[in-house]
mmCIF file of all heavy atoms in Angstrom:
data_model
loop_
_atom_site.group_PDB
_atom_site.id
_atom_site.type_symbol
_atom_site.label_atom_id
_atom_site.label_comp_id
_atom_site.label_asym_id
_atom_site.label_seq_id
_atom_site.Cartn_x
_atom_site.Cartn_y
_atom_site.Cartn_z
ATOM 1 N N MET A 1 1.783 10.320 17.282
ATOM 2 C CA MET A 1 2.391 10.073 15.991
ATOM 3 C C MET A 1 1.345 10.135 14.878
ATOM 4 O O MET A 1 1.682 10.421 13.745
ATOM 5 C CB MET A 1 3.072 8.704 16.005
ATOM 6 C CG MET A 1 3.764 8.378 14.718
ATOM 7 S SD MET A 1 4.866 6.996 14.908
ATOM 8 C CE MET A 1 4.791 6.296 13.307
ATOM 9 N N SER A 2 0.097 9.900 15.211
ATOM 10 C CA SER A 2 -0.923 9.818 14.170
ATOM 11 C C SER A 2 -1.076 11.099 13.363
ATOM 12 O O SER A 2 -1.473 11.048 12.211
ATOM 13 C CB SER A 2 -2.265 9.426 14.779
ATOM 14 O OG SER A 2 -2.708 10.444 15.656
ATOM 15 N N SER A 3 -0.738 12.247 13.929
ATOM 16 C CA SER A 3 -0.908 13.497 13.196
ATOM 17 C C SER A 3 0.416 14.034 12.643
ATOM 18 O O SER A 3 0.425 15.065 11.980
ATOM 19 C CB SER A 3 -1.543 14.547 14.105
ATOM 20 O OG SER A 3 -0.677 14.828 15.181
ATOM 21 N N LEU A 7 7.077 12.321 10.762
ATOM 22 C CA LEU A 7 7.533 11.249 11.635
ATOM 23 C C LEU A 7 7.102 9.891 11.092
ATOM 24 O O LEU A 7 7.886 8.944 11.084
ATOM 25 C CB LEU A 7 7.012 11.450 13.055
ATOM 26 C CG LEU A 7 7.450 10.403 14.074
ATOM 27 C CD1 LEU A 7 8.971 10.320 14.173
ATOM 28 C CD2 LEU A 7 6.841 10.710 15.438
ATOM 29 N N MET A 11 9.639 6.894 9.948
ATOM 30 C CA MET A 11 9.559 5.519 10.453
ATOM 31 C C MET A 11 9.423 4.527 9.298
ATOM 32 O O MET A 11 10.066 3.479 9.291
ATOM 33 C CB MET A 11 8.391 5.374 11.435
ATOM 34 C CG MET A 11 8.569 6.189 12.705
ATOM 35 S SD MET A 11 10.140 5.922 13.548
ATOM 36 C CE MET A 11 9.997 4.224 14.011
ATOM 37 N N SER A 13 10.514 4.934 6.334
ATOM 38 C CA SER A 13 11.800 4.898 5.650
ATOM 39 C C SER A 13 12.814 4.053 6.414
ATOM 40 O O SER A 13 13.611 3.333 5.814
ATOM 41 C CB SER A 13 12.345 6.314 5.479
ATOM 42 O OG SER A 13 11.465 7.091 4.704
ATOM 43 N N LEU A 23 -6.157 -2.647 -6.040
ATOM 44 C CA LEU A 23 -6.481 -3.869 -6.773
ATOM 45 C C LEU A 23 -5.730 -5.080 -6.236
ATOM 46 O O LEU A 23 -5.670 -6.117 -6.880
ATOM 47 C CB LEU A 23 -6.184 -3.681 -8.265
ATOM 48 C CG LEU A 23 -6.901 -2.511 -8.939
ATOM 49 C CD1 LEU A 23 -6.428 -2.337 -10.371
ATOM 50 C CD2 LEU A 23 -8.410 -2.721 -8.882
ATOM 51 N N LEU A 26 0.953 -5.784 -4.888
ATOM 52 C CA LEU A 26 1.880 -5.731 -3.762
ATOM 53 C C LEU A 26 3.115 -4.924 -4.116
ATOM 54 O O LEU A 26 3.708 -5.109 -5.174
ATOM 55 C CB LEU A 26 2.292 -7.159 -3.387
ATOM 56 C CG LEU A 26 3.348 -7.324 -2.309
ATOM 57 C CD1 LEU A 26 2.793 -6.915 -0.957
ATOM 58 C CD2 LEU A 26 3.837 -8.756 -2.273
ATOM 59 N N VAL A 28 6.798 -3.712 -2.158
ATOM 60 C CA VAL A 28 7.641 -3.810 -0.975
ATOM 61 C C VAL A 28 8.714 -2.729 -1.077
ATOM 62 O O VAL A 28 9.468 -2.682 -2.048
ATOM 63 C CB VAL A 28 8.301 -5.202 -0.864
ATOM 64 C CG1 VAL A 28 9.228 -5.260 0.329
ATOM 65 C CG2 VAL A 28 7.237 -6.295 -0.793
ATOM 66 N N GLY A 33 17.014 2.204 6.954
ATOM 67 C CA GLY A 33 17.625 2.447 8.255
ATOM 68 C C GLY A 33 19.032 1.924 8.407
ATOM 69 O O GLY A 33 19.784 2.398 9.251
ATOM 70 N N VAL A 56 -1.817 12.218 1.283
ATOM 71 C CA VAL A 56 -1.820 12.304 2.745
ATOM 72 C C VAL A 56 -2.713 11.264 3.415
ATOM 73 O O VAL A 56 -2.542 10.965 4.591
ATOM 74 C CB VAL A 56 -2.215 13.714 3.241
ATOM 75 C CG1 VAL A 56 -1.167 14.729 2.844
ATOM 76 C CG2 VAL A 56 -3.580 14.119 2.740
ATOM 77 N N SER A 65 12.657 10.838 -1.708
ATOM 78 C CA SER A 65 12.815 12.281 -1.801
ATOM 79 C C SER A 65 13.917 12.711 -0.848
ATOM 80 O O SER A 65 14.083 12.118 0.221
ATOM 81 C CB SER A 65 11.492 12.957 -1.421
ATOM 82 O OG SER A 65 11.611 14.349 -1.457
ATOM 83 N N THR A 68 16.569 17.557 4.187
ATOM 84 C CA THR A 68 17.716 18.159 4.849
ATOM 85 C C THR A 68 17.339 18.441 6.291
ATOM 86 O O THR A 68 16.285 19.017 6.564
ATOM 87 C CB THR A 68 18.139 19.462 4.147
ATOM 88 O OG1 THR A 68 18.517 19.144 2.804
ATOM 89 C CG2 THR A 68 19.309 20.117 4.858
ATOM 90 N N ILE A 76 21.230 14.546 18.288
ATOM 91 C CA ILE A 76 22.315 14.832 19.234
ATOM 92 C C ILE A 76 22.144 16.238 19.799
ATOM 93 O O ILE A 76 22.202 16.440 21.012
ATOM 94 C CB ILE A 76 23.688 14.649 18.566
ATOM 95 C CG1 ILE A 76 23.935 13.156 18.302
ATOM 96 C CG2 ILE A 76 24.802 15.245 19.422
ATOM 97 C CD1 ILE A 76 25.198 12.854 17.519
ATOM 98 N N ALA A 77 21.899 17.218 18.929
ATOM 99 C CA ALA A 77 21.717 18.594 19.392
ATOM 100 C C ALA A 77 20.469 18.722 20.259
ATOM 101 O O ALA A 77 20.479 19.434 21.268
ATOM 102 C CB ALA A 77 21.635 19.546 18.202
ATOM 103 N N GLN A 78 19.409 18.029 19.890
ATOM 104 C CA GLN A 78 18.168 18.106 20.669
ATOM 105 C C GLN A 78 18.350 17.510 22.065
ATOM 106 O O GLN A 78 17.862 18.061 23.057
ATOM 107 C CB GLN A 78 17.031 17.391 19.935
ATOM 108 C CG GLN A 78 16.605 18.066 18.652
ATOM 109 C CD GLN A 78 16.015 19.436 18.883
ATOM 110 O OE1 GLN A 78 15.213 19.636 19.777
ATOM 111 N NE2 GLN A 78 16.434 20.389 18.071
ATOM 112 N N ILE A 79 19.076 16.403 22.155
ATOM 113 C CA ILE A 79 19.323 15.775 23.457
ATOM 114 C C ILE A 79 20.259 16.643 24.291
ATOM 115 O O ILE A 79 20.046 16.804 25.495
ATOM 116 C CB ILE A 79 19.875 14.343 23.272
ATOM 117 C CG1 ILE A 79 18.770 13.449 22.704
ATOM 118 C CG2 ILE A 79 20.403 13.780 24.590
ATOM 119 C CD1 ILE A 79 19.230 12.104 22.226
ATOM 120 N N PHE A 87 19.989 20.554 33.591
ATOM 121 C CA PHE A 87 21.040 20.955 34.522
ATOM 122 C C PHE A 87 20.846 22.394 34.998
ATOM 123 O O PHE A 87 21.132 22.730 36.138
ATOM 124 C CB PHE A 87 22.427 20.790 33.902
ATOM 125 C CG PHE A 87 22.893 19.365 33.864
ATOM 126 C CD1 PHE A 87 23.113 18.731 32.659
ATOM 127 C CD2 PHE A 87 23.092 18.649 35.046
ATOM 128 C CE1 PHE A 87 23.535 17.411 32.625
ATOM 129 C CE2 PHE A 87 23.507 17.331 35.014
ATOM 130 C CZ PHE A 87 23.736 16.701 33.798
ATOM 131 N N PRO A 90 16.955 22.134 37.424
ATOM 132 C CA PRO A 90 16.669 20.776 37.876
ATOM 133 C C PRO A 90 15.244 20.677 38.442
ATOM 134 O O PRO A 90 14.696 21.629 38.983
ATOM 135 C CB PRO A 90 17.710 20.522 38.967
ATOM 136 C CG PRO A 90 18.216 21.849 39.351
ATOM 137 C CD PRO A 90 17.988 22.779 38.208
#
Side-chain angles (χ1 to χ4, degrees):
M1 182 166 149
S2 65
S3 63
L7 181 58
M11 295 308 296
S13 299
L23 303 174
L26 175 69
V28 177
V56 294
S65 178
T68 299
I76 290 174
Q78 293 296 316
I79 291 169
F87 283 116

